[in-house]
Amino acid sequence: MQTHIISLLVEDHPGVLTRMSGMFTQRGINITSLTVSPCEKEGLSRMTVAIKGSESELEKVRKQISNLIEVVKVVDLSEREAIVRDLCLMKVHVKDSEARSEVMQLAESYGAKIVDAVLDAVTLELTEEPERIDRFVDLMRHFGVKQLFRTGVTAIGIGGGLER
Amino acid sequence: MKLSGAEIVVEELKTEGVEVAFGIPGGVLLDLYDVLYKEEAIRHILMRHEQCAAHAADGYARVSGKAGVCIATSGPGATNLVTGLTNANMDSSAVVALTGQVPTSVIGTNAFQEASTFTITMPITKHNFLVKRTEDLPKVIHNAFYIANTGRKGVVLVDLPKDILAGVADVDLHPKETFAGYKPNIKPNQVQIKRVVEILARAERPLILAGGGVISADATTELQRLAEFLAAPVVTTLMGKGAIPENHPFCLGMAGMHGQVYANRAINECDALLALGTRFSDRTTGWQLDQFAPDATLIHVDIDTAEINKNMPVDIPIVGDVKLALLEILKLLAKKSAKKSGSEWEKRIKKMHEACDSCVEEIPREGASVSDILIKELSKILDDDAIVTTEVGQCQMFAAHYYMTRKPRTFISSGGLGTMGFGFPAAIGAKVAAPDKKVVDIAGDGSFLMTCQDLATCVENDIQVVVCIFDNRYLGMVRQWQELFYEKKYAQTGLGITPDFVKLAEAFGCYAERVEKPEELKDALNSAFESGKPAVLDMIVGKEDKVLPMIPPGGGIIGMIGTERCKHI
Ligand SMILES: Cc1ncc(C[n+]2csc(CCOP(=O)(O)OP(=O)(O)O)c2C)c(N)n1
Ligand SMILES: [Mg+2]
């Protein structure tokens, strides 16, 4: 099963999210991540949905979602043609100064920022491809991850943009 | 213009050409009914159950080709609509439902008679609205009809909070504005059309499978022209009954689970299958898809992109309006010569057709087994324009198999949802849409008991429908499955002896008669029509009649059981 990322341009109305997620629910497909935000056009929002499923399954929901009246556009972003980002905020336990400097070094090599620090913990922020975040989080587990927040993926097609 | 929300709704309904609405009022709808009270252009028919209001609107839409309208109050009124709306949406019937809602200030507080109609009906409608501002009403009502009536037709619900109906706004009526993302795709692709024409022209054993989409697109004349040009036989789905006259020499009747053996054979044997406005439901295809047109190039024309390759992988998809597609195909075909008659395939079809007609005459029967005879009698007694609706169960499948439908929009049945209780209220809607036509509901005793309270509606509003009950005192279709597949353990399928349907009907003020033998049907039906009243005929049928042949669960279209009488092939 492959991860697919679908980008939807939808009318900014109450209920659109329920309609969209209902389509996945009816087919028993689990949404792995979902982001909703305003976009460049007024009155419209962009949703980025990541799901795991087979190609044919995805094709069927994609068409059904396109059928929704308030969905203006559906684009299937295979991960290769798109720039995919996830934002991660995480509190990592640092038991002593040695741990602290190791965490800071690793954070730097991953391009993560330290956004807060107390005596026994640092808070890190990393915006990256989801797989790289996975690896960074795994590393940090050696020190102890106290809290982890991820926004879920958002993605944009490379080149001239989605609105071909 | 300054108008109240209720006035805006009614003005927009009139602009949309609405002449009739089926509904039941309630507290939050008082403002709307207050405006309807004065309104002469819209006839409101007071139903006795909201489910019936939805079915009546559905029946009205299927017969008239215009959107049907139903109205229900908040909470229980709206939840009672749900079955009817689901039914209409499953069968792509254009229905606009207006529901009352508690005032916006208390939505979400479990207010008296509050139900979240908007979320409840989201998955069972094509689209729905919860109106939050009176000034949005013109756009919402216009779009409700536009969406219900275009593309693949369906149900649109508009939830109307009390304060929105009572509130006043300065609005421009009749806006044309729609949704950016809603583009009902209607123009078929030319390249695909050309490919289809080549395939059809070359095919040696072409076959057309006509679904409900052909009727809903008013493409029946085009279908018949194409069949005649290609000398191609036509089989239909349940929803497609009436797409071509069933006494047309090229019509092999309904295919599928309870279809004609020969229609299913033809699907199995054809080398090009043109499927029009159908979604390949399992009731049509059976479950062994390798028996479904294995040697054929499969062409699928449908207005809904999401139906392409959903249930059946096809070779050539055409997304678009069936009528436009057929016109294009006919135009290109006209440059080629019409198929000469006398091909092997035509001979084969003719043989199958004759066999089909004659086998029906030769059903071995025991005792009171008369269900099929009654339907054939109805076919003979009723004229070509008469409208038949059906309930669900054996009665429905006997009707589908044996009733000879001669015109489009005259066979109205619950296809996708299989809703017991649909036929009678649908008949009410049908009669209101076509007051000059005879309307008969082919009913099961179990089904009729689910919605029979609306006999009162018929009597009060002088709506003359005739309900012909197949009185077998069983939930017959379920009993049949118990007989065939569950060792005759008739768990909870016996209906006992009540009610006396004749007395029940008389209590409502209807004409009623018991029909003990098929020979009595003609006179009884004539008396019913002549009575000028809504009528109920209690037709006694064999308690353990089975509707055969059938594709057993898991079977394929050439694996029908109960085909003893189809040996002529
Ligand atoms: C609302 C609803 N409930 C249950 C069923 C399941 N069901 C399908 S056919 C049938 C029996 C119908 O009985 P009746 O109306 O007497 O018709 P018959 O089969 O006896 O002709 C039942 C219970 C259904 N289709 N619809
Ligand atoms: Mg029965």
Side-chain angles (χ1 to χ4, degrees):
Chain A
M1 286 222 286
Q2 214 194 319
T3 297
H4 298 271
I5 298 176
I6 318 179
S7 173
L8 309 175
L9 199 61
V10 303
E11 306 244 4
D12 183 15
H13 293 169
V16 178
L17 184 60
T18 315
R19 278 184 220 283
M20 190 277 304
S21 61
M23 288 288 165
F24 290 101
T25 313
Q26 274 181 21
R27 295 200 151 258
I29 298 173
N30 193 23
I31 295 178
T32 40
S33 104
L34 168 67
T35 62
V36 188
S37 63
C39 69
E40 71 281 1
K41 290 187 187 130
E42 205 182 321
L44 299 183
S45 306
R46 182 157 278 125
M47 292 186 188
T48 311
V49 193
I51 54 165
K52 275 204 171 68
S54 69
E55 197 68 51
S56 70
E57 226 177 359
L58 176 85
E59 179 63 9
K60 287 176 191 171
V61 256
R62 197 185 58 73
K63 286 192 206 159
Q64 284 179 329
I65 287 176
S66 311
N67 268 356
L68 293 174
I69 309 292
E70 290 153 316
V71 171
V72 179
K73 199 173 172 79
V74 182
V75 180
D76 186 0
L77 295 168
S78 85
E79 287 186 64
R80 242 168 291 120
E81 1 168 89
I83 294 161
V84 182
R85 290 293 179 271
D86 192 350
L87 186 149
C88 157
L89 289 169
M90 136 172 88
K91 274 192 210 309
V92 180
H93 177 61
V94 285
K95 64 176 195 297
D96 50 27
S97 58
E98 195 185 338
R100 174 186 303 274
S101 58
E102 266 186 74
V103 165
M104 284 164 73
Q105 247 173 23
L106 286 166
E108 193 179 357
S109 69
Y110 268 82
K113 275 192 288 184
I114 294 160
V115 288
D116 188 25
V118 287
L119 269 182
D120 62 346
V122 290
T123 304
L124 302 167
E125 175 196 324
L126 177 60
T127 304
E128 253 300 353
E129 284 173 1
E131 294 71 20
R132 244 179 96 77
I133 295 186
D134 291 344
R135 268 187 281 149
F136 184 56
V137 171
D138 279 348
L139 262 181
M140 289 301 121
R141 288 195 200 282
H142 295 295
F143 303 92
V145 173
K146 296 165 112 181
Q147 278 187 329
L148 173 69
F149 294 74
R150 289 174 72 162
T151 56
V153 294
T154 187
I156 191 165
I158 55 167
L162 304 177
E163 332 300 332
R164 258 156 295 188
Chain B
M1 206 188 311
K2 266 206 150 87
L3 292 171
S4 76
E7 286 166 337
I8 299 172
V9 170
V10 172
E11 280 308 312
E12 292 296 344
L13 290 182
K14 286 195 314 198
T15 309
E16 297 298 333
V18 174
E19 292 166 5
V20 57
F22 304 89
I24 301 182
V28 295
L29 286 178
L30 283 163
D31 293 278
L32 182 64
Y33 276 85
D34 195 46
V35 178
L36 283 174
Y37 185 71
K38 293 169 281 193
E39 184 51 66
E40 282 178 3
I42 297 176
R43 173 182 181 201
H44 183 277
I45 293 172
L46 174 63
M47 305 298 289
R48 299 307 193 257
H49 192 297
E50 289 85 355
Q51 182 187 346
C52 293
H55 288 323
D58 184 355
Y60 177 91
R62 295 189 203 203
V63 167
S64 69
K66 287 172 36 175
V69 175
C70 57
I71 307 179
T73 193
S74 65
T79 52
N80 270 352
L81 277 184
V82 169
T83 301
L85 298 183
T86 313
N87 185 80
N89 204 49
M90 283 277 266
D91 286 348
S92 311
S93 178
V95 168
V96 172
L98 305 177
T99 49
Q101 182 55 276
V102 298
T104 47
S105 56
V106 295
I107 286 181
T109 65
N110 289 352
F112 177 63
Q113 291 196 327
E114 178 182 6
S116 180
T117 308
F118 185 59
T119 34
I120 291 171
T121 59
M122 216 173 251
I124 58 140
T125 53
K126 183 173 172 187
H127 192 61
N128 63 1
F129 296 91
L130 169 57
V131 186
K132 296 272 189 56
R133 299 184 313 181
T134 302
E135 56 265 39
D136 291 343
L137 280 169
K139 182 183 169 187
V140 167
I141 303 290
H142 167 66
N143 275 285
F145 281 87
Y146 176 61
I147 292 167
N149 257 327
T150 48
R152 178 176 182 170
K153 294 178 184 179
V155 175
V156 179
L157 179 139
V158 183
D159 204 20
L160 300 161
K162 182 169 170 61
D163 54 321
I164 302 302
L165 288 172
V168 173
D170 195 358
V171 294
D172 291 331
L173 291 174
H174 325 320
K176 287 273 167 297
E177 192 187 345
T178 62
F179 288 84
Y182 182 59
K183 297 179 202 84
N185 194 347
I186 47 169
K187 266 200 110 165
N189 177 301
Q190 277 300 321
V191 180
Q192 299 288 77
I193 294 273
K194 278 196 193 115
R195 282 178 67 198
V196 168
V197 167
E198 289 310 315
I199 285 161
L200 291 178
R202 249 186 293 128
E204 283 172 10
R205 303 186 303 281
L207 179 72
I208 301 172
L209 169 64
V214 175
I215 297 172
S216 135
D218 286 325
T220 55
T221 329
E222 291 75 13
L223 167 66
Q224 195 170 325
R225 272 173 57 206
L226 181 68
E228 285 163 6
F229 191 93
L230 294 171
V234 180
V235 301
T236 75
T237 65
L238 176 72
M239 295 299 296
K241 247 179 104 74
I244 184 164
E246 291 190 292
N247 51 0
H248 188 285
F250 287 156
C251 181
L252 280 180
M254 185 178 82
M257 189 170 181
H258 281 286
Q260 312 291 344
V261 179
Y262 311 98
N264 287 343
R265 279 285 160 77
I267 291 181
N268 179 258
E269 292 175 16
C270 67
D271 70 351
L273 181 68
L274 176 63
L276 304 169
T278 170
R279 61 192 175 92
F280 296 105
S281 102
D282 61 22
R283 288 298 188 266
T284 297
T285 61
W287 294 267
Q288 303 288 324
L289 293 189
D290 55 342
Q291 295 179 12
F292 192 90
D295 306 325
T297 308
L298 243 162
I299 305 157
H300 187 194
V301 183
D302 202 278
I303 191 121
D304 184 358
T305 331
E307 287 303 338
I308 305 290
N309 288 331
K310 187 179 91 178
N311 295 336
M312 179 73 69
V314 295
D315 299 304
I316 309 184
I318 293 187
V319 179
D321 183 87
V322 173
K323 190 181 179 97
L324 290 183
L326 284 178
L327 284 170
E328 295 288 337
I329 292 173
L330 282 166
K331 201 161 82 190
L332 292 187
L333 268 180
K335 295 180 188 144
K336 303 178 184 280
S337 48
K339 280 276 166 66
K340 285 194 206 68
S341 59
S343 73
E344 283 305 309
W345 180 234
E346 199 183 329
K347 280 182 210 152
R348 171 106 178 108
I349 296 303
K350 197 156 173 238
K351 194 172 145 213
M352 293 204 276
H353 202 274
E354 281 164 7
C356 202
D357 285 346
S358 55
C359 82
V360 167
E361 304 297 325
E362 294 169 22
I363 298 173
R365 62 187 70 253
E366 314 124 29
S369 169
V370 292
S371 304
D372 53 307
I373 302 184
L374 283 168
I375 301 281
K376 280 185 284 157
E377 277 296 303
L378 276 173
S379 282
K380 282 187 215 148
I381 302 167
L382 295 175
D383 58 89
D384 293 6
D385 286 313
I387 296 166
V388 160
T389 68
T390 80
E391 300 295 345
V392 166
Q394 293 181 313
C395 51
Q396 176 187 31
M397 287 305 133
F398 274 118
H401 194 94
Y402 293 105
Y403 186 76
M404 192 180 291
T405 308
R406 284 145 291 189
K407 292 211 172 161
R409 303 188 186 279
T410 64
F411 187 87
I412 311 294
S413 195
S414 169
L417 198 63
T419 313
M420 289 170 70
F422 165 79
F424 170 50
I428 295 178
K431 185 70 184 176
V432 171
D436 299 335
K437 295 184 181 172
K438 294 195 170 89
V439 178
V440 172
D441 171 32
I442 296 179
D445 41 5
S447 297
F448 184 55
L449 280 176
M450 290 198 179
T451 48
C452 62
Q453 75 288 332
D454 270 81
L455 284 174
T457 306
C458 292
V459 172
E460 294 298 335
N461 294 280
D462 204 6
I463 300 167
Q464 203 205 9
V465 306
V466 180
V467 181
C468 293
I469 302 174
F470 274 65
D471 188 342
N472 55 11
R473 298 290 156 166
Y474 269 118
L475 297 170
M477 186 56 101
V478 184
R479 189 210 58 77
Q480 170 169 340
W481 282 56
Q482 289 168 334
E483 176 183 338
L484 293 173
F485 314 115
Y486 288 83
E487 298 101 30
K488 299 200 178 191
K489 289 175 290 189
Y490 296 159
Q492 300 299 311
T493 40
L495 290 173
I497 53 163
T498 47
D500 178 327
F501 284 105
V502 172
K503 284 190 183 149
L504 175 89
E506 284 170 353
F508 278 99
C510 295
Y511 178 85
E513 200 175 315
R514 187 157 290 124
V515 176
E516 313 260 5
K517 297 196 197 80
E519 305 87 271
E520 300 167 7
L521 180 62
K522 189 170 184 178
D523 285 344
L525 207 55
N526 285 336
S527 312
F529 287 126
E530 276 159 25
S531 75
K533 294 185 199 169
V536 173
L537 299 183
D538 183 24
M539 310 190 303
I540 310 300
V541 300
K543 280 178 83 72
E544 303 203 1
D545 279 4
K546 285 194 292 292
V547 53
L548 292 170
M550 76 180 285
I551 301 175
I557 50 165
I558 52 168
M560 293 186 100
I561 58 169
T563 55
E564 295 71 29
R565 49 196 185 70
C566 307
K567 288 204 184 105
H568 307 260
I569 199 151

